Amino acid sequence: MTRLALLASLALGALSACEASRLHEAPAPPSKPTATATATSSGAAENPLDAGTDAQPDAAPLRAQHEPDGNDDATNEPGASGPRLTSATLTKVGVPPLGLTRICDLRAFAGSLYAAHANQPLGSDGATITRFTPDAAKPFAVAFDWNRIGEPTKGGGGGQGFLRVHALGGRLFVPDADPPYGGLGAVDWGTEGYVFVSDREGVFARARYPHAGLPGRPDANRKAGASVLPRAYHVLDVASYRGHLYASTGSVPPNERAWQGPAPGALHMATPDLSRFTYTLGFPSPYPGGVWRLTYLVRFRDSLYAGLQDFDGKSPFDYARFTLPEGRDVLREGDGVGKRVTDRGAAFTLRWYADRGALYWIAGTWGGPVTLRKTTDGDTWDTVDLPADVGRPTDVVRFGGELVVLTERALVGLGEGGEPARIIATITDKKSPFALDDAFCAAPLGVLGGVLYAGGQRGGALYRFDPAAPPAPPP
């Protein structure tokens, strides 16, 4: 049975053509700014899926946090607090080798900008990490190649997308969204996933000769390699939470049979030596049937937030929130709460971004808009209004002393202290390089050396926003 047939049998493959078309057809934000809307996330039991998932209070008591909000290591990149961009122009920097179709994430590390590449995530072969070092003789280089060119393609010969690259504990972590052949059998012949870990200089171990085999295991100090996630179908993100590394997945629970039994979303926790991430908990809990994935992760107010996908699109939840009780430092089954903000649930999360006591969330619903929302308490969400006709948002980051939002058609500044959002740069190309047409990969922003970069979705190109020259004084 081919890998695609197996995926189809459990509905674990890429987004269906119907779903993809609905994403294409989802309307852009309203043509006129609307009043800020406020929604409160709910964990109330509205159907059997809610059973057993709301054992914790919605609002955590005010106290000192155990760790800062966010995900990646803190950086001191110039530009985040520099002069505000008032006007900018978009410049194409270039196309890295093996840049594939898309850049799904950008991360500054050790003086370079790392990019995670894909073609059609979870749908077609192609998975590369590239490195951009502006002052190098050859600025672009391949940091890790998981395309496995030349290997048998039946069942998916290469990785099917790198969607995130994270700097955690002084190293880079890259989850393999859809591994070759459903896994190479390093630990589990049923199915297994991988997280590729760099050394402390950002160097990854190469695929093994002669058949592009899995790199060896990393260690806890500096050795690069591939951590194995037994029983994981897909590995979508990695985050640090309360002293442990967790990976978000769609997986097979312990004692169940791969490709035929339950398929919940799951968190796997790294072993101390980083050789494996082992199954820790499933979500929803109890498992209600169907095929689920936990997607993108972020810490906020001492909880771990996870995007959520169920293949049938019937989830009453938009995301999951995991919170440790006092006195325990490891998550376990039942620690997750399903939350809903949208009218119908089943939202797909594109980005989380924590900044100065607030959490920003870019998410959409099938057939509906993609919206940027903000919360300061983790429960009450405000819609962030964007200017008219800028398209759907794809990423948000702090640059020039304010938050800036990349949309399909513009770079938007959010200002400070209640200022109205304003357009910094307009994308004039007939086909925008930042068009949103995949629910797993949205155009990212990254900051390196005081420069704001953006990853394209057509041809894998890297772009930057240059400050526009001031207008010439009148004669």
Side-chain angles (χ1 to χ4, degrees):
M1 197 173 191
T2 68
R3 180 192 189 203
L4 290 179
L6 287 169
L7 292 176
S9 70
L10 261 183
L12 281 168
L15 298 176
S16 69
C18 177
E19 286 174 319
S21 67
R22 281 186 285 172
L23 181 54
H24 280 291
E25 295 167 3
S31 59
K32 295 182 180 180
T34 58
T36 299
T38 300
T40 301
S41 63
S42 173
E46 299 186 16
N47 64 51
L49 284 172
D50 260 327
T53 64
D54 206 8
Q56 299 146 321
D58 280 352
L62 293 176
R63 54 172 170 75
Q65 290 189 192
H66 289 280
E67 55 192 338
D69 298 334
N71 191 340
D72 294 81
D73 293 345
T75 66
N76 296 314
E77 280 298 322
S81 58
R84 179 181 294 189
L85 271 180
T86 56
S87 180
T89 58
L90 182 68
T91 301
K92 185 176 180 179
V93 178
V95 178
L98 302 182
L100 307 178
T101 302
R102 309 171 186 276
I103 296 178
C104 300
D105 203 24
L106 292 170
R107 191 69 51 206
F109 184 83
S112 297
L113 190 66
Y114 287 77
H117 295 262
N119 282 319
Q120 181 190 357
L122 283 69
S124 65
D125 291 357
T128 311
I129 298 295
T130 63
R131 182 177 64 248
F132 173 69
T133 310
D135 297 332
K138 293 183 178 180
F140 286 109
V142 176
F144 183 63
D145 175 8
W146 196 227
N147 297 306
R148 307 184 76 245
I149 300 300
E151 296 306 305
T153 59
K154 186 178 181 180
Q160 295 193 345
F162 289 149
L163 307 182
R164 291 292 186 266
V165 50
H166 285 299
L168 300 168
R171 302 167 77 175
L172 293 173
F173 289 75
V174 177
D176 188 359
D178 197 352
Y181 314 127
L184 298 175
V187 173
D188 193 323
W189 285 104
T191 184
E192 65 184 21
Y194 310 111
V195 173
F196 298 102
V197 185
S198 78
D199 66 15
R200 297 191 179 278
E201 284 71 48
V203 177
F204 290 88
R206 294 185 178 183
R208 287 182 169 177
Y209 182 83
H211 293 292
L214 191 69
R217 305 294 181 271
D219 65 23
N221 296 317
R222 59 176 297 113
K223 182 184 175 183
S227 295
V228 180
L229 285 78
R231 309 181 68 75
Y233 293 112
H234 303 282
V235 189
L236 299 173
D237 206 357
V238 180
S240 174
Y241 178 59
R242 300 288 291 276
H244 299 279
L245 290 173
Y246 291 91
S248 56
T249 73
S251 289
V252 186
N255 304 317
E256 298 290 348
R257 188 173 179 182
W259 307 107
Q260 297 186 29
L267 291 178
H268 289 231
M269 191 178 77
T271 57
D273 63 1
L274 294 183
S275 63
R276 297 188 185 188
F277 284 69
T278 58
Y279 188 103
T280 298
L281 63 84
F283 187 89
S285 180
Y287 173 66
V291 176
W292 300 74
R293 301 179 185 117
L294 295 178
T295 62
Y296 301 124
L297 301 171
V298 71
R299 291 188 312 272
F300 184 66
R301 286 172 53 91
D302 276 347
S303 291
L304 184 65
Y305 287 67
L308 187 62
Q309 182 195 27
D310 83 298
F311 199 85
D312 294 328
K314 298 178 180 179
S315 168
F317 312 127
D318 291 316
Y319 61 86
R321 189 174 75 193
F322 300 90
T323 306
L324 279 167
E326 289 297 325
R328 180 153 51 87
D329 66 355
V330 174
L331 289 169
R332 64 191 185 198
E333 192 79 17
D335 284 337
V337 179
K339 293 294 181 179
R340 189 168 81 196
V341 178
T342 65
D343 290 340
R344 297 183 179 179
F348 55 88
T349 294
L350 296 175
R351 300 277 174 194
W352 301 104
Y353 186 72
D355 180 77
R356 300 188 177 185
L359 179 61
Y360 294 82
W361 177 43
I362 300 176
T365 54
W366 298 116
V370 173
T371 304
L372 173 62
R373 295 179 176 89
K374 171 187 176 182
T375 184
T376 56
D377 63 8
D379 289 299
T380 304
W381 292 90
D382 295 327
T383 299
V384 178
D385 291 327
L386 299 176
D389 303 322
V390 297
R392 295 168 289 187
T394 66
D395 202 0
V396 56
V397 72
R398 178 162 290 276
F399 184 79
E402 66 173 338
L403 290 175
V404 294
V405 180
L406 181 65
T407 72
E408 294 175 297
R409 283 286 170 191
L411 181 70
V412 176
L414 297 186
E416 297 288 341
E419 297 177 57
R422 70 192 192 286
I423 295 175
I424 298 172
T426 300
I427 312 304
T428 58
D429 305 48
K430 184 175 181 180
K431 292 184 177 180
S432 170
F434 310 129
L436 177 57
D437 57 10
D438 192 284
F440 288 109
C441 182
L445 290 170
V447 179
L448 177 70
V451 178
L452 182 64
Y453 293 90
Q457 304 295 287
R458 295 172 54 232
L462 181 68
Y463 295 82
R464 71 171 182 260
F465 288 97
D466 295 323

